[in-house]
Amino acid sequence: MIVRARTVVTMDRAPIENGAVAISGNRIIDLGSFDEVKGRNSGEIVDLGDQALLPGLINAHCHLDYTCLRGKIPPQKSFADWIRAINAEKAKLSGADYLSSITEGFAEAKRFGTTTVANLTAFPELISQIHSPIRTWWFAELIDVRSPEQANEIVDLAVESIGKARPEPVLSEVQGGAPNWGLAPHALFTASKNLYRRCEEVARHEDVLLTTHLAESREEMEMFCDGSGPLYDFMKSIGRDVSDCGGMTPLAAFIGIGRALPIEWIVAHLNELTESDFDLLETAKRKFHVVHSPRSHGYFAHSRFLFERLRPLEFNVCLATDSLASNESLSLFAEMRAFQRNEPGLSPDKIFEMVTVNPALALDQSRHGGTMGRIRPGFQADLISIPCGGGTNLFEEIVAFAGPIDWMMVNGRM
Ligand SMILES: [Zn+2]
């Protein structure tokens, strides 16, 4: 099959005017001008007209479990109060509610041009009942705050659930046969060091990915640095051993846990960093992939995300939606615009990389070679198109795009 568009945005070179890609099975096999591609390939021609053909978008961090909580929790006085509020909402939901919430989330993500999602779920046992219409990395979100002595069992049970599900091999297949799942110890304040270590052991053994929430709120910083504050009080009240609190930033505590270099954690947030943290980051042997969720960040009124300081340290920064318990939609286009408002000096093509090339690097990781996030021969045929006015700044138009997508291909299928 040949797909032609007014412009093809490859992410490797300047956009190709009157361009086309050839697709065989689930892979891109050729690209160039329409005439070149037509000359070298045969098959059905799909002409998208005056559209820009783009790589499908990749959401590096979301919780589709909570799609049904959109608009349910107004911003709270404290982060601890927000956790109380979401726990109260979660207590009202059944397994069937979560299933429909996840299904609705997939549909919405797809509508906004997302072809791959890194989805954290607190219910790995539900995965086998879900049909994901887009490429999905499932992360089991793990918490042992009420039973830290069971850290290993909690991890092993989640691994077993995911193993039973083995979701849809066609959509999960990436080059080299890398598994498309991972583990997500929730955060330092809800997951014990033993749980983190067990996850690293499993990740090394099974060659899977790891993600966590880190240094998200001022209260988390206060809890670990000072041994005080609303989050500290809340966690202590539910029985968390707080002897690790006081005297260390969340980042320093996290770096102190790791033994399994060179696992590349996908770290969500990093909003709260001290000068000593930046010293640590400069000398850290481990580089993380960092996920920033601009609109959820705004909802919580977190401290400014220090992109301008992380970027020179060569951290791979991705954009994501996080969950609809703290966001309005699963649109990565809206996320790009929110980020652009905070970082007006950054060029729109660099912002677009943060929902394509960068999250592809986080999910594929260097060990398997890239297969996503670009339009390139050999890559997955995950493509979207948006109307293209033919103005001088194509990437500005892409970031500004606000409508739903009307054409998409996932894994070679329209
Ligand atoms: Zn999250």
Side-chain angles (χ1 to χ4, degrees), residues 178-214:
N180 68 326
W181 59 277
L183 298 171
H186 171 254
L188 286 178
F189 53 89
T190 50
S192 68
K193 290 189 172 60
N194 284 338
L195 189 138
Y196 274 85
R197 289 198 185 108
R198 183 66 167 185
C199 287
E200 287 208 331
E201 279 170 19
V202 172
R204 243 180 327 183
H205 191 254
E206 302 282 331
D207 193 22
V208 297
L209 303 181
L210 294 172
T211 190
T212 192
H213 301 90
L214 183 67

PDB file of all heavy atoms in Angstrom, residues 178-214:
ATOM      1  N   ALA A 178      11.104  -7.504  21.977  1.00  0.00           N
ATOM      2  CA  ALA A 178      11.140  -7.020  23.359  1.00  0.00           C
ATOM      3  C   ALA A 178       9.750  -7.067  23.969  1.00  0.00           C
ATOM      4  O   ALA A 178       8.768  -6.776  23.303  1.00  0.00           O
ATOM      5  CB  ALA A 178      11.658  -5.595  23.384  1.00  0.00           C
ATOM      6  N   PRO A 179       9.661  -7.464  25.228  1.00  0.00           N
ATOM      7  CA  PRO A 179       8.346  -7.492  25.875  1.00  0.00           C
ATOM      8  C   PRO A 179       7.763  -6.089  25.989  1.00  0.00           C
ATOM      9  O   PRO A 179       8.514  -5.117  26.120  1.00  0.00           O
ATOM     10  CB  PRO A 179       8.656  -8.038  27.281  1.00  0.00           C
ATOM     11  CG  PRO A 179      10.057  -8.533  27.233  1.00  0.00           C
ATOM     12  CD  PRO A 179      10.751  -7.827  26.124  1.00  0.00           C
ATOM     13  N   ASN A 180       6.436  -6.011  25.930  1.00  0.00           N
ATOM     14  CA  ASN A 180       5.810  -4.690  25.992  1.00  0.00           C
ATOM     15  C   ASN A 180       5.108  -4.491  27.321  1.00  0.00           C
ATOM     16  O   ASN A 180       3.977  -4.071  27.382  1.00  0.00           O
ATOM     17  CB  ASN A 180       4.820  -4.500  24.842  1.00  0.00           C
ATOM     18  CG  ASN A 180       3.621  -5.409  25.000  1.00  0.00           C
ATOM     19  OD1 ASN A 180       3.755  -6.520  25.505  1.00  0.00           O
ATOM     20  ND2 ASN A 180       2.461  -4.941  24.611  1.00  0.00           N
ATOM     21  N   TRP A 181       5.785  -4.807  28.398  1.00  0.00           N
ATOM     22  CA  TRP A 181       5.198  -4.537  29.704  1.00  0.00           C
ATOM     23  C   TRP A 181       6.307  -4.106  30.648  1.00  0.00           C
ATOM     24  O   TRP A 181       7.485  -4.120  30.295  1.00  0.00           O
ATOM     25  CB  TRP A 181       4.439  -5.747  30.240  1.00  0.00           C
ATOM     26  CG  TRP A 181       5.235  -7.016  30.419  1.00  0.00           C
ATOM     27  CD1 TRP A 181       5.525  -7.938  29.455  1.00  0.00           C
ATOM     28  CD2 TRP A 181       5.851  -7.481  31.624  1.00  0.00           C
ATOM     29  NE1 TRP A 181       6.265  -8.963  29.991  1.00  0.00           N
ATOM     30  CE2 TRP A 181       6.482  -8.711  31.327  1.00  0.00           C
ATOM     31  CE3 TRP A 181       5.922  -7.002  32.937  1.00  0.00           C
ATOM     32  CZ2 TRP A 181       7.177  -9.452  32.283  1.00  0.00           C
ATOM     33  CZ3 TRP A 181       6.609  -7.744  33.892  1.00  0.00           C
ATOM     34  CH2 TRP A 181       7.233  -8.966  33.552  1.00  0.00           C
ATOM     35  N   GLY A 182       5.879  -3.702  31.792  1.00  0.00           N
ATOM     36  CA  GLY A 182       6.857  -3.256  32.762  1.00  0.00           C
ATOM     37  C   GLY A 182       6.240  -3.159  34.136  1.00  0.00           C
ATOM     38  O   GLY A 182       5.087  -3.532  34.353  1.00  0.00           O
ATOM     39  N   LEU A 183       7.029  -2.667  35.068  1.00  0.00           N
ATOM     40  CA  LEU A 183       6.582  -2.534  36.451  1.00  0.00           C
ATOM     41  C   LEU A 183       6.702  -1.078  36.881  1.00  0.00           C
ATOM     42  O   LEU A 183       7.619  -0.372  36.462  1.00  0.00           O
ATOM     43  CB  LEU A 183       7.424  -3.429  37.360  1.00  0.00           C
ATOM     44  CG  LEU A 183       7.315  -4.930  37.044  1.00  0.00           C
ATOM     45  CD1 LEU A 183       8.344  -5.714  37.849  1.00  0.00           C
ATOM     46  CD2 LEU A 183       5.901  -5.443  37.313  1.00  0.00           C
ATOM     47  N   ALA A 184       5.767  -0.675  37.741  1.00  0.00           N
ATOM     48  CA  ALA A 184       5.727   0.717  38.182  1.00  0.00           C
ATOM     49  C   ALA A 184       5.530   0.794  39.689  1.00  0.00           C
ATOM     50  O   ALA A 184       4.397   0.913  40.167  1.00  0.00           O
ATOM     51  CB  ALA A 184       4.594   1.451  37.458  1.00  0.00           C
ATOM     52  N   PRO A 185       6.624   0.701  40.451  1.00  0.00           N
ATOM     53  CA  PRO A 185       6.468   1.022  41.876  1.00  0.00           C
ATOM     54  C   PRO A 185       5.888   2.438  41.941  1.00  0.00           C
ATOM     55  O   PRO A 185       6.425   3.333  41.272  1.00  0.00           O
ATOM     56  CB  PRO A 185       7.894   0.984  42.424  1.00  0.00           C
ATOM     57  CG  PRO A 185       8.757   0.432  41.339  1.00  0.00           C
ATOM     58  CD  PRO A 185       8.013   0.518  40.048  1.00  0.00           C
ATOM     59  N   HIS A 186       4.794   2.642  42.658  1.00  0.00           N
ATOM     60  CA  HIS A 186       4.058   3.901  42.513  1.00  0.00           C
ATOM     61  C   HIS A 186       4.919   5.120  42.793  1.00  0.00           C
ATOM     62  O   HIS A 186       5.074   5.995  41.947  1.00  0.00           O
ATOM     63  CB  HIS A 186       2.821   3.897  43.426  1.00  0.00           C
ATOM     64  CG  HIS A 186       2.141   5.215  43.485  1.00  0.00           C
ATOM     65  ND1 HIS A 186       2.227   6.044  44.586  1.00  0.00           N
ATOM     66  CD2 HIS A 186       1.408   5.885  42.574  1.00  0.00           C
ATOM     67  CE1 HIS A 186       1.554   7.158  44.341  1.00  0.00           C
ATOM     68  NE2 HIS A 186       1.048   7.075  43.126  1.00  0.00           N
ATOM     69  N   ALA A 187       5.465   5.214  43.992  1.00  0.00           N
ATOM     70  CA  ALA A 187       6.272   6.380  44.382  1.00  0.00           C
ATOM     71  C   ALA A 187       7.007   6.024  45.668  1.00  0.00           C
ATOM     72  O   ALA A 187       6.641   5.067  46.358  1.00  0.00           O
ATOM     73  CB  ALA A 187       5.375   7.597  44.609  1.00  0.00           C
ATOM     74  N   LEU A 188       8.011   6.810  45.993  1.00  0.00           N
ATOM     75  CA  LEU A 188       8.803   6.501  47.193  1.00  0.00           C
ATOM     76  C   LEU A 188       7.962   6.521  48.459  1.00  0.00           C
ATOM     77  O   LEU A 188       8.288   5.857  49.431  1.00  0.00           O
ATOM     78  CB  LEU A 188       9.933   7.520  47.354  1.00  0.00           C
ATOM     79  CG  LEU A 188      11.118   7.396  46.406  1.00  0.00           C
ATOM     80  CD1 LEU A 188      12.096   8.524  46.685  1.00  0.00           C
ATOM     81  CD2 LEU A 188      11.815   6.047  46.571  1.00  0.00           C
ATOM     82  N   PHE A 189       6.886   7.311  48.451  1.00  0.00           N
ATOM     83  CA  PHE A 189       6.111   7.405  49.696  1.00  0.00           C
ATOM     84  C   PHE A 189       5.088   6.282  49.848  1.00  0.00           C
ATOM     85  O   PHE A 189       4.528   6.105  50.919  1.00  0.00           O
ATOM     86  CB  PHE A 189       5.452   8.794  49.847  1.00  0.00           C
ATOM     87  CG  PHE A 189       4.632   9.254  48.676  1.00  0.00           C
ATOM     88  CD1 PHE A 189       3.287   8.946  48.580  1.00  0.00           C
ATOM     89  CD2 PHE A 189       5.219  10.026  47.666  1.00  0.00           C
ATOM     90  CE1 PHE A 189       2.534   9.376  47.510  1.00  0.00           C
ATOM     91  CE2 PHE A 189       4.465  10.471  46.581  1.00  0.00           C
ATOM     92  CZ  PHE A 189       3.121  10.137  46.495  1.00  0.00           C
ATOM     93  N   THR A 190       4.849   5.509  48.772  1.00  0.00           N
ATOM     94  CA  THR A 190       3.877   4.403  48.859  1.00  0.00           C
ATOM     95  C   THR A 190       4.490   3.029  48.568  1.00  0.00           C
ATOM     96  O   THR A 190       3.815   2.021  48.727  1.00  0.00           O
ATOM     97  CB  THR A 190       2.732   4.600  47.846  1.00  0.00           C
ATOM     98  OG1 THR A 190       3.317   4.869  46.577  1.00  0.00           O
ATOM     99  CG2 THR A 190       1.793   5.720  48.257  1.00  0.00           C
ATOM    100  N   ALA A 191       5.727   3.005  48.079  1.00  0.00           N
ATOM    101  CA  ALA A 191       6.369   1.724  47.745  1.00  0.00           C
ATOM    102  C   ALA A 191       7.695   1.631  48.497  1.00  0.00           C
ATOM    103  O   ALA A 191       8.471   2.588  48.529  1.00  0.00           O
ATOM    104  CB  ALA A 191       6.601   1.629  46.240  1.00  0.00           C
ATOM    105  N   SER A 192       7.940   0.481  49.093  1.00  0.00           N
ATOM    106  CA  SER A 192       9.159   0.325  49.912  1.00  0.00           C
ATOM    107  C   SER A 192      10.389   0.149  49.027  1.00  0.00           C
ATOM    108  O   SER A 192      10.283  -0.187  47.848  1.00  0.00           O
ATOM    109  CB  SER A 192       9.005  -0.896  50.824  1.00  0.00           C
ATOM    110  OG  SER A 192       9.001  -2.077  50.022  1.00  0.00           O
ATOM    111  N   LYS A 193      11.541   0.356  49.640  1.00  0.00           N
ATOM    112  CA  LYS A 193      12.792   0.147  48.896  1.00  0.00           C
ATOM    113  C   LYS A 193      12.896  -1.293  48.419  1.00  0.00           C
ATOM    114  O   LYS A 193      13.395  -1.566  47.336  1.00  0.00           O
ATOM    115  CB  LYS A 193      13.996   0.497  49.781  1.00  0.00           C
ATOM    116  CG  LYS A 193      14.109   1.980  50.039  1.00  0.00           C
ATOM    117  CD  LYS A 193      15.419   2.335  50.736  1.00  0.00           C
ATOM    118  CE  LYS A 193      15.604   3.843  50.810  1.00  0.00           C
ATOM    119  NZ  LYS A 193      14.529   4.528  51.561  1.00  0.00           N
ATOM    120  N   ASN A 194      12.404  -2.227  49.240  1.00  0.00           N
ATOM    121  CA  ASN A 194      12.441  -3.635  48.818  1.00  0.00           C
ATOM    122  C   ASN A 194      11.592  -3.874  47.580  1.00  0.00           C
ATOM    123  O   ASN A 194      11.957  -4.666  46.715  1.00  0.00           O
ATOM    124  CB  ASN A 194      11.962  -4.548  49.953  1.00  0.00           C
ATOM    125  CG  ASN A 194      13.036  -4.691  51.010  1.00  0.00           C
ATOM    126  OD1 ASN A 194      14.225  -4.479  50.738  1.00  0.00           O
ATOM    127  ND2 ASN A 194      12.621  -5.011  52.224  1.00  0.00           N
ATOM    128  N   LEU A 195      10.474  -3.174  47.518  1.00  0.00           N
ATOM    129  CA  LEU A 195       9.622  -3.340  46.341  1.00  0.00           C
ATOM    130  C   LEU A 195      10.341  -2.804  45.091  1.00  0.00           C
ATOM    131  O   LEU A 195      10.349  -3.440  44.035  1.00  0.00           O
ATOM    132  CB  LEU A 195       8.277  -2.644  46.554  1.00  0.00           C
ATOM    133  CG  LEU A 195       7.253  -2.946  45.457  1.00  0.00           C
ATOM    134  CD1 LEU A 195       5.864  -3.202  46.059  1.00  0.00           C
ATOM    135  CD2 LEU A 195       7.150  -1.823  44.450  1.00  0.00           C
ATOM    136  N   TYR A 196      10.977  -1.640  45.239  1.00  0.00           N
ATOM    137  CA  TYR A 196      11.760  -1.095  44.113  1.00  0.00           C
ATOM    138  C   TYR A 196      12.844  -2.088  43.692  1.00  0.00           C
ATOM    139  O   TYR A 196      13.064  -2.331  42.504  1.00  0.00           O
ATOM    140  CB  TYR A 196      12.407   0.234  44.501  1.00  0.00           C
ATOM    141  CG  TYR A 196      11.520   1.449  44.303  1.00  0.00           C
ATOM    142  CD1 TYR A 196      10.607   1.840  45.274  1.00  0.00           C
ATOM    143  CD2 TYR A 196      11.597   2.218  43.143  1.00  0.00           C
ATOM    144  CE1 TYR A 196       9.797   2.959  45.098  1.00  0.00           C
ATOM    145  CE2 TYR A 196      10.797   3.335  42.953  1.00  0.00           C
ATOM    146  CZ  TYR A 196       9.894   3.701  43.936  1.00  0.00           C
ATOM    147  OH  TYR A 196       9.096   4.806  43.743  1.00  0.00           O
ATOM    148  N   ARG A 197      13.514  -2.661  44.680  1.00  0.00           N
ATOM    149  CA  ARG A 197      14.627  -3.568  44.340  1.00  0.00           C
ATOM    150  C   ARG A 197      14.118  -4.824  43.642  1.00  0.00           C
ATOM    151  O   ARG A 197      14.732  -5.307  42.696  1.00  0.00           O
ATOM    152  CB  ARG A 197      15.405  -3.940  45.609  1.00  0.00           C
ATOM    153  CG  ARG A 197      16.189  -2.774  46.143  1.00  0.00           C
ATOM    154  CD  ARG A 197      17.283  -3.195  47.120  1.00  0.00           C
ATOM    155  NE  ARG A 197      17.902  -1.996  47.676  1.00  0.00           N
ATOM    156  CZ  ARG A 197      17.728  -1.574  48.918  1.00  0.00           C
ATOM    157  NH1 ARG A 197      16.994  -2.277  49.769  1.00  0.00           N
ATOM    158  NH2 ARG A 197      18.312  -0.465  49.333  1.00  0.00           N
ATOM    159  N   ARG A 198      12.995  -5.334  44.128  1.00  0.00           N
ATOM    160  CA  ARG A 198      12.421  -6.525  43.491  1.00  0.00           C
ATOM    161  C   ARG A 198      12.056  -6.217  42.030  1.00  0.00           C
ATOM    162  O   ARG A 198      12.273  -7.030  41.135  1.00  0.00           O
ATOM    163  CB  ARG A 198      11.178  -6.972  44.275  1.00  0.00           C
ATOM    164  CG  ARG A 198      10.548  -8.231  43.735  1.00  0.00           C
ATOM    165  CD  ARG A 198      11.467  -9.428  43.910  1.00  0.00           C
ATOM    166  NE  ARG A 198      10.784 -10.695  43.693  1.00  0.00           N
ATOM    167  CZ  ARG A 198      11.358 -11.860  43.875  1.00  0.00           C
ATOM    168  NH1 ARG A 198      12.617 -11.929  44.283  1.00  0.00           N
ATOM    169  NH2 ARG A 198      10.691 -12.965  43.657  1.00  0.00           N
ATOM    170  N   CYS A 199      11.516  -5.026  41.825  1.00  0.00           N
ATOM    171  CA  CYS A 199      11.154  -4.636  40.447  1.00  0.00           C
ATOM    172  C   CYS A 199      12.399  -4.579  39.563  1.00  0.00           C
ATOM    173  O   CYS A 199      12.370  -5.008  38.408  1.00  0.00           O
ATOM    174  CB  CYS A 199      10.436  -3.284  40.447  1.00  0.00           C
ATOM    175  SG  CYS A 199       8.745  -3.377  41.099  1.00  0.00           S
ATOM    176  N   GLU A 200      13.491  -4.050  40.115  1.00  0.00           N
ATOM    177  CA  GLU A 200      14.727  -4.011  39.316  1.00  0.00           C
ATOM    178  C   GLU A 200      15.218  -5.422  38.993  1.00  0.00           C
ATOM    179  O   GLU A 200      15.682  -5.691  37.887  1.00  0.00           O
ATOM    180  CB  GLU A 200      15.815  -3.215  40.051  1.00  0.00           C
ATOM    181  CG  GLU A 200      15.556  -1.717  40.044  1.00  0.00           C
ATOM    182  CD  GLU A 200      16.829  -0.879  40.134  1.00  0.00           C
ATOM    183  OE1 GLU A 200      17.825  -1.364  40.736  1.00  0.00           O
ATOM    184  OE2 GLU A 200      16.837   0.248  39.606  1.00  0.00           O
ATOM    185  N   GLU A 201      15.102  -6.321  39.957  1.00  0.00           N
ATOM    186  CA  GLU A 201      15.520  -7.714  39.702  1.00  0.00           C
ATOM    187  C   GLU A 201      14.709  -8.319  38.553  1.00  0.00           C
ATOM    188  O   GLU A 201      15.258  -8.934  37.645  1.00  0.00           O
ATOM    189  CB  GLU A 201      15.272  -8.573  40.959  1.00  0.00           C
ATOM    190  CG  GLU A 201      16.354  -8.448  42.009  1.00  0.00           C
ATOM    191  CD  GLU A 201      15.928  -9.119  43.329  1.00  0.00           C
ATOM    192  OE1 GLU A 201      14.999  -9.969  43.319  1.00  0.00           O
ATOM    193  OE2 GLU A 201      16.526  -8.761  44.343  1.00  0.00           O
ATOM    194  N   VAL A 202      13.387  -8.120  38.643  1.00  0.00           N
ATOM    195  CA  VAL A 202      12.515  -8.682  37.602  1.00  0.00           C
ATOM    196  C   VAL A 202      12.837  -8.042  36.250  1.00  0.00           C
ATOM    197  O   VAL A 202      12.916  -8.727  35.224  1.00  0.00           O
ATOM    198  CB  VAL A 202      11.019  -8.472  37.955  1.00  0.00           C
ATOM    199  CG1 VAL A 202      10.127  -8.876  36.789  1.00  0.00           C
ATOM    200  CG2 VAL A 202      10.648  -9.245  39.204  1.00  0.00           C
ATOM    201  N   ALA A 203      13.050  -6.730  36.266  1.00  0.00           N
ATOM    202  CA  ALA A 203      13.315  -6.028  35.006  1.00  0.00           C
ATOM    203  C   ALA A 203      14.584  -6.557  34.339  1.00  0.00           C
ATOM    204  O   ALA A 203      14.634  -6.735  33.128  1.00  0.00           O
ATOM    205  CB  ALA A 203      13.431  -4.527  35.258  1.00  0.00           C
ATOM    206  N   ARG A 204      15.599  -6.809  35.162  1.00  0.00           N
ATOM    207  CA  ARG A 204      16.850  -7.346  34.610  1.00  0.00           C
ATOM    208  C   ARG A 204      16.626  -8.736  34.034  1.00  0.00           C
ATOM    209  O   ARG A 204      17.079  -9.075  32.959  1.00  0.00           O
ATOM    210  CB  ARG A 204      17.897  -7.448  35.722  1.00  0.00           C
ATOM    211  CG  ARG A 204      19.099  -6.576  35.486  1.00  0.00           C
ATOM    212  CD  ARG A 204      20.073  -6.715  36.609  1.00  0.00           C
ATOM    213  NE  ARG A 204      19.401  -6.960  37.887  1.00  0.00           N
ATOM    214  CZ  ARG A 204      20.021  -7.056  39.041  1.00  0.00           C
ATOM    215  NH1 ARG A 204      21.329  -6.936  39.095  1.00  0.00           N
ATOM    216  NH2 ARG A 204      19.378  -7.278  40.157  1.00  0.00           N
ATOM    217  N   HIS A 205      15.897  -9.535  34.788  1.00  0.00           N
ATOM    218  CA  HIS A 205      15.689 -10.927  34.415  1.00  0.00           C
ATOM    219  C   HIS A 205      14.793 -11.059  33.191  1.00  0.00           C
ATOM    220  O   HIS A 205      15.045 -11.856  32.288  1.00  0.00           O
ATOM    221  CB  HIS A 205      15.065 -11.649  35.622  1.00  0.00           C
ATOM    222  CG  HIS A 205      15.039 -13.122  35.475  1.00  0.00           C
ATOM    223  ND1 HIS A 205      13.870 -13.804  35.198  1.00  0.00           N
ATOM    224  CD2 HIS A 205      16.018 -14.048  35.532  1.00  0.00           C
ATOM    225  CE1 HIS A 205      14.147 -15.092  35.107  1.00  0.00           C
ATOM    226  NE2 HIS A 205      15.442 -15.273  35.307  1.00  0.00           N
ATOM    227  N   GLU A 206      13.705 -10.252  33.150  1.00  0.00           N
ATOM    228  CA  GLU A 206      12.701 -10.396  32.093  1.00  0.00           C
ATOM    229  C   GLU A 206      12.901  -9.400  30.955  1.00  0.00           C
ATOM    230  O   GLU A 206      12.134  -9.402  29.998  1.00  0.00           O
ATOM    231  CB  GLU A 206      11.288 -10.182  32.676  1.00  0.00           C
ATOM    232  CG  GLU A 206      10.930 -11.120  33.813  1.00  0.00           C
ATOM    233  CD  GLU A 206      10.541 -12.508  33.322  1.00  0.00           C
ATOM    234  OE1 GLU A 206      10.030 -12.628  32.204  1.00  0.00           O
ATOM    235  OE2 GLU A 206      10.792 -13.473  34.073  1.00  0.00           O
ATOM    236  N   ASP A 207      13.875  -8.498  31.106  1.00  0.00           N
ATOM    237  CA  ASP A 207      14.130  -7.492  30.076  1.00  0.00           C
ATOM    238  C   ASP A 207      12.903  -6.607  29.851  1.00  0.00           C
ATOM    239  O   ASP A 207      12.466  -6.390  28.717  1.00  0.00           O
ATOM    240  CB  ASP A 207      14.562  -8.176  28.768  1.00  0.00           C
ATOM    241  CG  ASP A 207      15.153  -7.183  27.771  1.00  0.00           C
ATOM    242  OD1 ASP A 207      15.597  -6.105  28.212  1.00  0.00           O
ATOM    243  OD2 ASP A 207      15.149  -7.484  26.562  1.00  0.00           O
ATOM    244  N   VAL A 208      12.325  -6.113  30.941  1.00  0.00           N
ATOM    245  CA  VAL A 208      11.149  -5.244  30.841  1.00  0.00           C
ATOM    246  C   VAL A 208      11.468  -3.861  31.406  1.00  0.00           C
ATOM    247  O   VAL A 208      12.531  -3.638  31.977  1.00  0.00           O
ATOM    248  CB  VAL A 208       9.924  -5.853  31.562  1.00  0.00           C
ATOM    249  CG1 VAL A 208       9.524  -7.162  30.903  1.00  0.00           C
ATOM    250  CG2 VAL A 208      10.175  -6.023  33.053  1.00  0.00           C
ATOM    251  N   LEU A 209      10.535  -2.953  31.243  1.00  0.00           N
ATOM    252  CA  LEU A 209      10.764  -1.549  31.589  1.00  0.00           C
ATOM    253  C   LEU A 209      10.310  -1.228  33.014  1.00  0.00           C
ATOM    254  O   LEU A 209       9.483  -1.939  33.590  1.00  0.00           O
ATOM    255  CB  LEU A 209      10.012  -0.645  30.609  1.00  0.00           C
ATOM    256  CG  LEU A 209      10.346  -0.826  29.127  1.00  0.00           C
ATOM    257  CD1 LEU A 209       9.541   0.141  28.282  1.00  0.00           C
ATOM    258  CD2 LEU A 209      11.836  -0.612  28.889  1.00  0.00           C
ATOM    259  N   LEU A 210      10.843  -0.137  33.529  1.00  0.00           N
ATOM    260  CA  LEU A 210      10.485   0.325  34.873  1.00  0.00           C
ATOM    261  C   LEU A 210      10.092   1.789  34.814  1.00  0.00           C
ATOM    262  O   LEU A 210      10.730   2.588  34.128  1.00  0.00           O
ATOM    263  CB  LEU A 210      11.683   0.171  35.817  1.00  0.00           C
ATOM    264  CG  LEU A 210      12.141  -1.256  36.103  1.00  0.00           C
ATOM    265  CD1 LEU A 210      13.446  -1.230  36.895  1.00  0.00           C
ATOM    266  CD2 LEU A 210      11.071  -2.020  36.878  1.00  0.00           C
ATOM    267  N   THR A 211       9.054   2.120  35.552  1.00  0.00           N
ATOM    268  CA  THR A 211       8.679   3.528  35.650  1.00  0.00           C
ATOM    269  C   THR A 211       8.215   3.821  37.070  1.00  0.00           C
ATOM    270  O   THR A 211       7.819   2.910  37.811  1.00  0.00           O
ATOM    271  CB  THR A 211       7.603   3.891  34.608  1.00  0.00           C
ATOM    272  OG1 THR A 211       7.439   5.303  34.577  1.00  0.00           O
ATOM    273  CG2 THR A 211       6.258   3.259  34.925  1.00  0.00           C
ATOM    274  N   THR A 212       8.298   5.081  37.473  1.00  0.00           N
ATOM    275  CA  THR A 212       7.835   5.471  38.800  1.00  0.00           C
ATOM    276  C   THR A 212       7.525   6.962  38.813  1.00  0.00           C
ATOM    277  O   THR A 212       7.913   7.692  37.894  1.00  0.00           O
ATOM    278  CB  THR A 212       8.891   5.132  39.876  1.00  0.00           C
ATOM    279  OG1 THR A 212       8.302   5.258  41.179  1.00  0.00           O
ATOM    280  CG2 THR A 212      10.105   6.049  39.794  1.00  0.00           C
ATOM    281  N   HIS A 213       6.793   7.388  39.856  1.00  0.00           N
ATOM    282  CA  HIS A 213       6.564   8.819  40.075  1.00  0.00           C
ATOM    283  C   HIS A 213       7.631   9.304  41.059  1.00  0.00           C
ATOM    284  O   HIS A 213       7.818   8.694  42.105  1.00  0.00           O
ATOM    285  CB  HIS A 213       5.200   9.065  40.698  1.00  0.00           C
ATOM    286  CG  HIS A 213       4.039   8.564  39.886  1.00  0.00           C
ATOM    287  ND1 HIS A 213       3.522   7.299  40.017  1.00  0.00           N
ATOM    288  CD2 HIS A 213       3.296   9.180  38.944  1.00  0.00           C
ATOM    289  CE1 HIS A 213       2.496   7.149  39.185  1.00  0.00           C
ATOM    290  NE2 HIS A 213       2.338   8.275  38.509  1.00  0.00           N
ATOM    291  N   LEU A 214       8.289  10.396  40.722  1.00  0.00           N
ATOM    292  CA  LEU A 214       9.370  10.859  41.609  1.00  0.00           C
ATOM    293  C   LEU A 214       9.404  12.377  41.705  1.00  0.00           C
ATOM    294  O   LEU A 214       9.311  13.071  40.694  1.00  0.00           O
ATOM    295  CB  LEU A 214      10.714  10.347  41.068  1.00  0.00           C
ATOM    296  CG  LEU A 214      11.946  10.682  41.914  1.00  0.00           C
ATOM    297  CD1 LEU A 214      11.921   9.960  43.247  1.00  0.00           C
ATOM    298  CD2 LEU A 214      13.234  10.324  41.167  1.00  0.00           C
TER     299      LEU A 214
END
